[in-house]
Amino acid sequence: MKLFRCHHCAQVLYFENWRCERCGHHLGYAPWLKDLLVIDGDDRRADGARSCQNSQLQACNWLIPAGEAGDLCRACRHNRMIPDLSQTANLARWREFEAAKRRLFYSLIGLELPIPTAADHTLGLVFDFLADPDGPNEAPVMTGHADGVITINILEADHAARESIRQSMGEPYRTVLGHFRHEIGHFYWQLLIDTEPRKEDFRAVFGDEREDYGEALQRHHNVGPPADWQSAFVSGYATAHPWEDFAETWAHYLHIVDTLEMADAFRISVDPRVSSDPSLEAEIDFNPYTVGSIEGLIERWLPLSFAVNSLNRSMGHADFYPFLLSQPAVAKLGFVHDLIHKQCHDSAPMRSAPS
């Protein structure tokens, strides 16, 4: 993510801004320009673009370009089911979901990944945001992905409920945006890898996905991850099954790219006074969407995450990135990096198994 500026008064803006707090002009995000535009007043910059229909419910600030059909923006058109908005709590939760989803789409567009809809692909991307049923004997909504459909329980937008789930599952990190980034990893596994020979490339790095998925998850929930999971995985949940390992790694890759872009927007540099170790130093002055190798990302990410973790602790908060990245985990991130960039440069080689 990057910073923006108001085209009317030059005020610094964030991606989520609906209006400029200095001059009061209303704003809309144009994904085809990757910019926030002024959409009212005499100096409007939208050039015939119109607001997404969901802006009427304060659930979207994206624009639709002039001449494009439909009333929903590039992100909202993938919604299939949303919760009952007559319930006030559901409306607030849905808005939080949409804010996180727009950040997801910003990254997918920046990485130039295909984002097919159900109308133009047999594996079109669809979102169902559902609330648990009222009946006492009815099963709760399970967050997950199946054949292009990403289902997320809107209770995840309730901070108290999400924190309770996080603690009960022993997770160091649980956010709405994290759910989106994880589940979209399952989608892209099916879209980009579920064909030969990429399956063999995948198995060489992550393991054999033909292992029974249901049994693997049950085992994980019963006994948890192995004690040494940090030696090869980005998270404990990644040990459950190769599919989960890939989805967790994919989510971490998006975490890293998005955060590094914002660090670049602030021109952040890290140089600890107490150490001359070059591995703890970094100048965040590059575009992480175009960097050529995973090593180029990680050599900046590790000092940055170390510094921000330290800042968080100074405020009494938990670490902002409570994970360690071993060499095998970095190799898996490299596989994701190569897979994504192969979409634009088809001759690029896939990363082999870690040595």
Side-chain angles (χ1 to χ4, degrees):
M1 188 55 63
K2 63 180 183 179
L3 293 172
F4 301 88
R5 63 189 292 272
C6 176
H7 289 289
H8 177 76
C9 70
Q11 169 75 356
V12 174
L13 303 171
Y14 290 97
F15 183 62
E16 290 81 7
N17 280 129
W18 293 71
R19 62 189 298 271
C20 176
E21 296 301 324
R22 176 185 288 171
C23 68
H25 280 299
H26 292 280
L27 307 166
Y29 182 72
W32 63 97
L33 299 175
K34 300 180 182 179
D35 198 8
L36 274 171
L37 306 181
V38 173
I39 59 174
D40 65 352
D42 294 335
D43 60 347
R44 68 174 62 194
R45 304 295 179 95
D47 295 327
R50 60 196 186 281
S51 296
C52 175
Q53 179 177 294
N54 286 334
S55 67
Q56 300 172 18
L57 297 169
Q58 296 184 327
C60 183
N61 69 339
W62 279 30
L63 300 174
I64 305 167
E68 185 171 293
D71 297 320
L72 296 173
C73 73
R74 188 170 180 183
C76 289
R77 70 183 58 165
H78 291 269
N79 290 355
R80 185 174 71 175
M81 300 183 70
I82 61 174
D84 178 4
L85 299 183
S86 65
Q87 299 184 33
T88 304
N90 282 353
L91 178 58
R93 292 168 180 170
W94 179 55
R95 286 171 176 164
E96 184 166 342
F97 267 42
E98 291 299 331
K101 193 186 75 183
R102 290 195 299 277
R103 276 190 170 256
L104 171 71
F105 271 73
Y106 173 93
S107 296
L108 302 182
I109 293 169
L111 292 167
E112 300 184 24
L113 284 161
I115 317 174
T117 66
D120 56 31
H121 197 283
T122 55
L123 191 68
L125 179 62
V126 171
F127 292 95
D128 287 348
F129 303 143
L130 306 178
D132 286 332
D134 295 329
N137 298 320
E138 296 182 79
V141 173
M142 300 300 293
T143 295
H145 167 266
D147 296 325
V149 179
I150 291 177
T151 302
I152 306 182
N153 189 325
I154 65 162
L155 193 61
E156 291 289 344
D158 183 288
H159 298 288
R162 189 174 65 250
E163 176 62 14
S164 177
I165 296 170
R166 186 193 69 79
Q167 292 187 21
S168 68
M169 299 186 70
E171 298 173 334
Y173 172 92
R174 190 180 184 95
T175 66
V176 174
L177 182 55
H179 279 303
F180 276 105
R181 287 173 172 166
H182 174 96
E183 299 304 338
I184 204 72
H186 287 300
F187 170 76
Y188 280 111
W189 187 92
Q190 193 168 357
L191 186 67
L192 302 179
I193 297 179
D194 195 17
T195 58
E196 302 295 347
R198 286 189 175 174
K199 279 185 180 179
E200 292 305 318
D201 294 330
F202 168 82
R203 290 166 187 162
V205 178
F206 292 90
D208 195 338
E209 85 287 350
R210 290 169 291 189
E211 174 190 5
D212 188 279
Y213 182 66
E215 290 182 4
L217 288 188
Q218 189 62 50
R219 181 176 64 252
H220 174 80
H221 291 309
N222 287 342
V223 303
D228 64 345
W229 65 265
Q230 289 183 329
S231 66
F233 298 88
V234 294
S235 71
Y237 188 54
T239 67
H241 186 275
W243 282 338
E244 297 303 338
D245 193 6
F246 178 81
E248 284 287 270
T249 303
W250 181 282
H252 279 245
Y253 183 81
L254 295 188
H255 293 335
I256 290 168
V257 169
D258 191 44
T259 307
L260 283 173
E261 186 184 29
M262 183 57 78
D264 173 62
F266 278 98
R267 297 183 178 180
I268 290 176
S269 63
V270 180
D271 185 4
R273 292 181 182 273
V274 300
S275 174
S276 59
D277 183 352
S279 69
L280 296 179
E281 301 172 6
E283 290 282 344
I284 317 298
D285 57 354
F286 72 115
N287 181 355
Y289 284 94
T290 61
V291 69
S293 69
I294 192 61
E295 290 77 16
L297 293 174
I298 297 302
E299 68 182 14
R300 276 97 158 189
W301 175 248
L302 293 180
L304 178 67
S305 59
F306 173 71
V308 181
N309 283 348
S310 301
L311 293 172
N312 268 27
R313 294 181 186 186
S314 298
M315 289 292 294
H317 293 301
D319 287 353
F320 112 104
Y321 188 73
F323 305 96
L324 297 175
L325 293 178
S326 64
Q327 282 304 117
V330 171
K332 293 173 182 177
L333 287 164
F335 179 94
V336 170
H337 177 86
D338 293 348
L339 176 69
I340 289 172
H341 287 272
K342 188 175 173 64
Q343 302 310 301
C344 304
H345 307 286
D346 196 56
S347 61
M350 294 294 292
R351 183 168 294 256
S352 61
S355 58

